[in-house]
Every structure is written in C-alpha cells, then in structure tokens.
C-alpha cells in the first residue's frame, strides 16, 4: 500500500524546476568570445575556434614534407632540362 500525500502547489513547482534542470545541458563560457557553449563541445559555434589543441585539425602537412616535395620537383625539372 502507498501512503497518500497531499501536495501543495509549491511542491509541484519544485518538481517542474528539477525536471527543467535535468533536461538542460551544462554550459560554460567560451574562453575566446565569452558566449555560452555546451560543456563538451570541441569548438565554439559563435567564434568558430577550437577549445583545445587536440580537437584542432591542425595546419595540415608538416613543413618538411612541403620542402622535400619542392626539392624533388626542382631536381625533376632540372633533370628534364639537362636531358633534352
């Protein structure tokens, strides 16, 4: 058997507040622009900056790869001009 409990109007309001808080996701301010963003977001949709280095895609290819490709291209072009 369950006990009957008389609910006051204030009790219902407190229950609704708890339900609203549970549905909301935790937010924190963006360290760059200050707008509220989701706590587990990897980047800020307002200023479009990544929040950590490990989430950032990076600059692309390392500089040594680009330099090596240019040197190889230069050698290939020089070889073509000397061959003909």
């Amino acid at each position: 058997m369950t006990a009957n409990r008389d609910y006051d109007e204030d009790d219902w309001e407190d229950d609704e507040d708890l339900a609203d808080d549970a549905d909301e996701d935790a937010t924190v301010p963006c360290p760059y622009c200050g707008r509220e963003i989701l706590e587990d977001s990897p980047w800020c949709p307002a200023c479009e900056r990544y929040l950590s280095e490990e989430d950032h895609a990076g600059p692309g290819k390392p500089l040594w790869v680009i330099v090596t490709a240019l040197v190889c291209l230069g050698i290939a072009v020089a070889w073509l001009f000397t061959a003909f």
Side-chain angles (χ1 to χ4, degrees):
M1 290 191 176
T2 59
N4 287 338
R5 179 177 174 210
D6 293 329
Y7 285 99
D8 292 337
E9 191 172 306
D10 293 335
D11 290 338
W12 288 103
E13 289 176 9
D14 291 341
D15 290 343
E16 289 173 6
D17 289 341
L18 291 175
D20 288 342
D21 290 342
D23 291 341
E24 287 185 28
D25 292 326
T27 59
V28 295
C30 171
Y32 301 107
C33 69
R35 291 206 176 168
E36 291 293 318
I37 58 172
L38 293 176
E39 186 175 27
D40 57 349
S41 178
W43 64 286
C44 175
C47 66
E48 298 181 355
R49 293 185 70 178
Y50 284 91
L51 303 179
S52 69
E53 286 296 321
E54 57 192 33
D55 291 332
H56 191 272
K61 303 246 186 272
L63 182 60
W64 69 269
V65 172
I66 296 170
V67 170
T68 303
L70 290 175
V71 168
C72 289
L73 182 64
I75 291 171
V77 168
W79 179 75
L80 281 176
F81 283 127
T82 58
F84 293 105

